[in-house]
Amino acid sequence: KSWTKISEVPSPVRQITFDGTRDRLLIPCEDQIIYEVPTGGGEPTVFVDFTDFIDNGGYITKIRKIVVDKKNPDLMYICNALGVYASPASIFRSLDGGKSWEIINRDLNDGSVGADGARDCSSIVINSATRELFQAGGCRGMYKMKLPD
């Protein structure tokens, strides 16, 4: 019944995701940086830094969670909850293992109308068996979408 310390990150932790394919932990923190730590322990490294990211609505990020697809570990999603209705950057997606990121929710600032998932996204989860991403937010309930092949 004892714990073994494996690392320490420089900012309060929001969530931990296990990436089994790469045997690492991905740790979104309050400083808007997602750190990477090997599961066997070691110094944290910066996986992705969102501290200077400003979406096209002029809002900074407030990263809540990162998920990795078990069937395709290059497919990753980040949810971003700002406490601002209809933030133009609620969900980010990477198709290349985190090297680049794109915003995948519709931008309401461009005059678009109609439902396009939850706003102010606070949680996401992948069902690798059904190839679906589920999301929930502070505004407009819970939604799902098919994952790319």
Side-chain angles (χ1 to χ4, degrees), residues 11-134:
S11 179
V13 172
R14 289 211 167 113
Q15 181 252 348
I16 298 174
T17 293
F18 174 62
D19 179 357
T21 303
R22 295 178 179 100
D23 198 28
R24 66 181 175 183
L25 302 172
L26 298 174
I27 307 160
C29 293
E30 286 185 12
D31 61 5
Q32 306 316 314
I33 295 174
I34 298 175
Y35 295 93
E36 175 181 8
V37 174
T39 57
E43 291 296 315
T45 57
V46 173
F47 176 67
V48 63
D49 183 343
F50 278 95
T51 55
D52 293 327
F53 180 84
I54 298 176
D55 69 25
N56 54 3
Y59 302 109
I60 60 168
T61 56
K62 210 170 204 182
I63 303 302
R64 300 292 182 192
K65 185 174 181 178
I66 183 170
V67 293
V68 179
D69 183 17
K70 291 177 184 172
K71 290 190 176 183
N72 175 6
D74 284 338
L75 181 60
M76 303 174 160
Y77 292 88
I78 292 173
C79 68
N80 180 40
L82 297 171
V84 176
Y85 176 74
S87 164
S90 193
I91 302 280
F92 295 87
R93 175 177 63 196
S94 176
L95 300 170
D96 58 11
K99 294 180 185 116
S100 63
W101 295 89
E102 64 180 326
I103 299 169
I104 63 165
N105 57 290
R106 183 176 31 84
D107 179 1
L108 295 183
N109 293 323
D110 68 5
S112 302
V113 295
D116 186 39
R119 299 291 173 201
D120 203 28
C121 185
S122 55
S123 189
I124 52 177
V125 65
I126 290 176
N127 182 336
S128 293
T130 63
R131 308 299 300 142
E132 294 172 311
L133 174 72
F134 293 85

